[in-house]
Amino acid sequence: MRIPRQAARVAVLDPGGAVFMFRYDNEEVGVHWAMPGGGLEPGEAPLRAAERELREETGWTDVEVGAVFCLWEHDFTRAGIPVRQRERIFLARGPRRDPIGDLVAAHAADRILWWRWWTPEELAGDTEPLWPPQLPELLAAVTNAGPPVPPIDLGYVRNGAPGPR
């Protein structure tokens, strides 16, 4: 039995269209790349959760989080508890830079191994697992005008499901 969990992530794009991502190690799904984000606290709005998670995981306080561009649901194990997580992915634009501040404890708690900026070409050509697997195509749909309206809803995505490449 999986516990339902609501979460928010942020796709931070630099001026050239590269996206900032973390490399996570999860006990159920293994090593994968995902954008900053995490679970909503009780009573917390998704946008506020996205802003909080971005700040806690990167140290960035000057990135304005915009609209939701994607929804998806997936399974993983968090702190030994199997969850089915429903995520809202928000869009933000910011400068290309590394995380700032003392984030060692926060990254260790979330099992974040590393970070990097991925260009659209690197994302499309890579074979490492991405959350969501369709991320290259989703980001290609984001234009300078902003995210698609309504947001793209991927529904439930099974672990190990390949994204279209």
Side-chain angles (χ1 to χ4, degrees):
M1 169 104 175
R2 293 199 178 262
I3 305 299
R5 183 174 192 245
Q6 296 291 315
R9 294 201 178 275
V10 183
V12 180
L13 302 180
D14 77 2
V19 63
F20 180 83
M21 297 183 66
F22 286 118
R23 189 171 196 222
Y24 290 88
D25 185 8
N26 179 263
E27 60 192 274
E28 180 178 347
V29 297
V31 174
H32 62 281
W33 290 89
M35 295 155 286
L40 276 63
E41 295 177 354
E44 187 176 36
L47 176 60
R48 295 293 164 244
E51 293 168 337
R52 175 184 52 77
E53 289 285 343
L54 182 64
R55 183 181 63 253
E56 289 174 359
E57 293 179 352
T58 66
W60 303 336
T61 59
D62 60 345
V63 175
E64 186 175 333
V65 178
V68 173
F69 79 95
C70 177
L71 306 164
W72 78 301
E73 197 169 307
H74 61 99
D75 295 336
F76 75 108
T77 298
R78 182 179 186 281
I81 300 170
V83 298
R84 176 153 295 167
Q85 182 158 288
R86 177 80 171 155
E87 291 186 359
R88 290 171 181 87
I89 303 175
F90 291 83
L91 182 63
R93 300 194 187 267
R96 186 179 190 128
R97 60 187 164 179
D98 289 339
I100 55 175
D102 183 7
L103 304 169
V104 174
H107 287 186
D110 289 338
R111 299 183 70 169
I112 294 172
L113 304 174
W114 191 242
W115 62 84
R116 69 172 277 201
W117 290 88
W118 291 79
T119 66
E121 297 79 21
E122 290 168 334
L123 269 182
D126 196 69
T127 59
E128 290 199 46
L130 302 172
W131 275 14
Q134 303 86 346
L135 187 59
E137 292 76 21
L138 292 168
L139 292 177
V142 175
T143 66
N144 288 335
V149 178
I152 298 165
D153 191 341
L154 301 175
Y156 173 74
V157 178
R158 178 181 54 80
N159 285 336
R165 298 247 172 161

